[in-house]
């Protein structure tokens, strides 16, 4: 018994072919959109690549770019097929191609669905990449004279200002590293020398943060040095008072930024998948109804169209038997001849 059988007159078949021709061209546009979204995501990731650890997170934009290009090619061919199928006699030139085309398009739509799911699944890998990359960037913040690292200070400062964040997990990350280069420390001062000697690794650690961590919306002048020393500032209690620093860590800020982008792209790709699936369903109905017309011999008669000629179980059983027979024939071919 055929699955989802529908009856088509010649007029309905012609209209279906015309509508599918238009929808395939719309699908070409969606392919361009997928390509553009993949390219946009790739650029956004590369824009802050120095703040990310070397993790394989480029697979999502790369897949979107590839899917977009394939979508343009497949739907361009589909538009040509549907345009010719308006004339039933021209269907003969595509008769042998349509079923392989539908099968390939089905697997392609599955890839589109995978691309949509990947946009939602790369959250964990992105968070780990940002966590390691930001920790490394903050550690080398002071190395403005070191080739390959001299840009990190400006990069981190601009990140603080643009995303209104501070440090990796928060402003206290700066307390645990030396972020002021030794060239800017007055070694003749006893305070500096004592602080360096008090640290096992000989690092100059202070309870301060870079200027870029200052919250520009705070009415109080920025307190970026001796943050935990209440007596160093008038009318100040760091444990109870809301600090005039950006409180959010940059890992969280960047993760929220990229998550919003990926969720928007994922939703767009999911809608594209549903659209591609509906177009594929229409092409399948067109193919089966035209083949039945050719079997009947009367091009103007009504014909049936369906998604599957047999039930799901019968179709699965038939395909399984075909696979088994191919496997057996392959075993016979590989046996050594006497």
């Amino acid at each position: 018994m055929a699955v989802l059988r529908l009856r088509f007159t010649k007029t309905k078949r012609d209209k279906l072919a015309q509508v599918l021709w238009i929808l395939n061209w719309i699908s070409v546009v969606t392919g361009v959109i997928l390509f553009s979204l993949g390219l946009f995501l790739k650029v956004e990731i590369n824009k802050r690549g120095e703040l990310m650890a070397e993790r394989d997170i480029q697979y999502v934009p790369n897949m979107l770019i590839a899917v977009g290009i394939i979508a343009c090619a497949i739907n361009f061919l589909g538009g040509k097929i549907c345009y010719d199928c308006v004339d039933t006699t021209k269907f003969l030139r595509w008769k042998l191609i349509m079923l392989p085309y539908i099968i390939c398009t089905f697997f392609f739509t599955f890839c589109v669905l995978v691309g949509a799911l990947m946009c939602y699944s790369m959250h964990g890998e992105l968070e780990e990449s940002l966590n390691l990359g930001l920790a490394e960037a903050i550690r080398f913040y002071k190395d403005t004279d070191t080739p390959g690292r001299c840009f990190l200070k400006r990069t981190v400062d601009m990140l603080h200002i643009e995303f209104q964040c501070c440090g990796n997990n928060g402003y206290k990350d700066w307390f645990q590293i030396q972020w002021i280069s030794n060239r800017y420390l007055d070694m003749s001062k006893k305070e500096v020398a004592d602080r360096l000697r008090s640290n096992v690794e000989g690092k100059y650690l202070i309870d301060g943060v870079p200027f870029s961590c200052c919250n520009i919306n705070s009415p109080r002048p920025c307190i970026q040095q001796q943050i935990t020393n209440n007596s160093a500032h008038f009318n100040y209690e760091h444990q109870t008072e809301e600090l005039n620093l950006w409180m959010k860590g940059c890992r969280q800020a960047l993760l929220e930024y990229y998550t919003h982008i990926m969720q928007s792209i994922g939703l767009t790709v999911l809608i594209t998948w549903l659209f591609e699936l509906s177009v594929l369903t229409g092409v399948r109905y067109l193919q089966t109804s035209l083949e039945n017309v050719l079997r009947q011999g009367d091009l103007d008669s009504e014909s049936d169209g369906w998604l599957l000629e047999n039930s799901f179980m019968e179709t699965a059983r038939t395909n399984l038997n075909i696979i088994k027979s191919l496997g057996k024939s392959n075993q016979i071919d590989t046996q050594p001849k006497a």
Side-chain angles (χ1 to χ4, degrees):
M1 181 179 177
V3 177
L4 297 177
R5 182 195 299 266
L6 294 177
R7 193 76 173 169
F8 292 90
T9 63
K10 184 180 185 307
T11 303
K12 287 183 178 180
R13 286 194 302 269
D14 292 344
K15 287 184 177 180
L16 177 60
Q18 292 171 354
V19 170
L20 288 173
W21 173 70
I22 296 173
L23 293 181
N24 271 284
W25 277 106
I26 296 175
S27 295
V28 172
V29 176
T30 62
V32 175
I33 293 174
L34 289 179
F35 175 83
S36 302
L37 289 175
L39 195 62
F40 169 75
L41 183 57
K42 191 178 186 69
V43 170
E44 284 297 312
I45 292 176
N46 289 337
K47 190 185 296 183
R48 298 175 181 87
E50 63 271 13
L51 299 174
M52 300 181 187
E54 292 185 2
R55 290 287 187 272
D56 188 17
I57 58 176
Q58 292 282 1
Y59 63 89
V60 175
N62 290 340
M63 182 171 185
L64 291 177
I65 290 172
V67 166
I69 294 173
I70 296 172
C72 292
I74 285 181
N75 290 300
F76 179 82
L77 177 60
K80 174 61 177 173
I81 293 174
C82 294
Y83 180 80
D84 286 347
C85 287
V86 175
D87 185 354
T88 309
T89 56
K90 291 184 179 180
F91 169 70
L92 292 173
R93 72 175 69 167
W94 300 106
K95 185 174 182 294
L96 298 177
I97 298 177
M98 281 196 75
L99 184 57
Y101 168 81
I102 289 173
I103 294 173
C104 291
T105 307
F106 174 77
F107 284 107
F108 165 72
T109 55
F110 177 75
C111 292
V112 175
L113 176 60
V114 171
L117 297 177
M118 285 168 62
C119 290
Y120 293 98
S121 64
M122 70 176 289
H123 181 276
E125 294 172 336
L126 180 62
E127 183 175 13
E128 182 181 1
S129 177
L130 286 171
N131 186 40
L132 296 176
L134 284 168
E136 192 81 353
I138 291 173
R139 187 161 65 91
F140 296 129
Y141 177 87
K142 70 180 186 304
D143 297 342
T144 53
D145 297 330
T146 305
R149 300 175 186 170
C150 55
F151 62 91
L152 281 175
K153 179 183 181 301
R154 182 182 185 278
T155 300
V156 172
D157 285 334
M158 292 302 296
L159 176 68
H160 286 165
I161 295 170
E162 181 180 355
F163 285 88
Q164 299 184 354
C165 59
C166 183
N168 185 0
N169 300 300
Y171 71 92
K172 290 185 179 180
D173 291 341
W174 294 103
F175 298 177
Q176 303 167 13
I177 62 167
Q178 179 179 340
W179 55 272
I180 301 176
S181 176
N182 286 340
R183 67 180 295 189
Y184 302 114
L185 296 176
D186 187 357
M187 300 299 179
S188 62
K189 286 188 175 181
K190 184 177 182 300
E191 178 189 352
V192 174
D194 290 345
R195 191 177 290 274
L196 288 171
R197 281 195 298 268
S198 65
N199 185 266
V200 177
E201 299 178 357
K203 294 182 178 180
Y204 184 74
L205 303 183
I206 59 173
D207 56 344
V209 297
F211 78 97
S212 53
C213 284
C214 293
N215 186 342
I216 60 175
N217 300 315
S218 174
R220 180 170 187 160
C222 184
I223 297 176
Q224 63 180 104
Q225 301 290 340
Q226 301 186 53
I227 294 174
T228 58
N229 186 358
N230 295 330
S231 61
H233 312 284
F234 176 73
N235 192 22
Y236 177 73
E237 174 59 53
H238 81 277
Q239 292 181 338
T240 59
E241 182 176 343
E242 183 177 351
L243 300 178
N244 54 358
L245 305 174
W246 301 123
M247 304 301 293
K248 182 185 293 185
C250 290
R251 176 175 57 86
Q252 180 185 352
L254 281 175
L255 192 62
E256 290 174 356
Y257 174 74
Y258 282 113
T259 299
H260 175 71
I261 291 177
M262 290 185 297
Q263 287 180 348
S264 301
I265 291 177
L267 180 60
T268 303
V269 177
L270 193 61
I271 294 173
T272 301
W273 171 72
L274 292 173
F275 182 76
E276 292 282 352
L277 196 62
S278 64
V279 174
L280 177 61
T281 302
V283 173
R284 175 60 174 168
Y285 273 117
L286 181 64
Q287 179 237 346
T288 52
S289 62
L290 286 173
E291 285 188 349
N292 288 330
V293 163
L294 293 178
R295 292 194 190 102
Q296 294 169 191
D298 184 2
L299 300 182
D300 295 328
S301 63
E302 294 185 354
S303 62
D304 289 334
W306 50 69
L307 292 183
L308 295 175
E309 189 172 0
N310 301 310
S311 65
F312 288 105
M313 293 300 297
E314 291 176 356
T315 302
R317 193 179 301 112
T318 301
N319 291 331
L320 184 61
N321 290 333
I322 292 173
I323 294 172
K324 287 181 178 179
S325 63
L326 290 174
K328 290 179 180 178
S329 63
N330 185 54
Q331 289 178 358
I332 295 174
D333 292 340
T334 55
Q335 287 179 356
K337 295 182 180 180

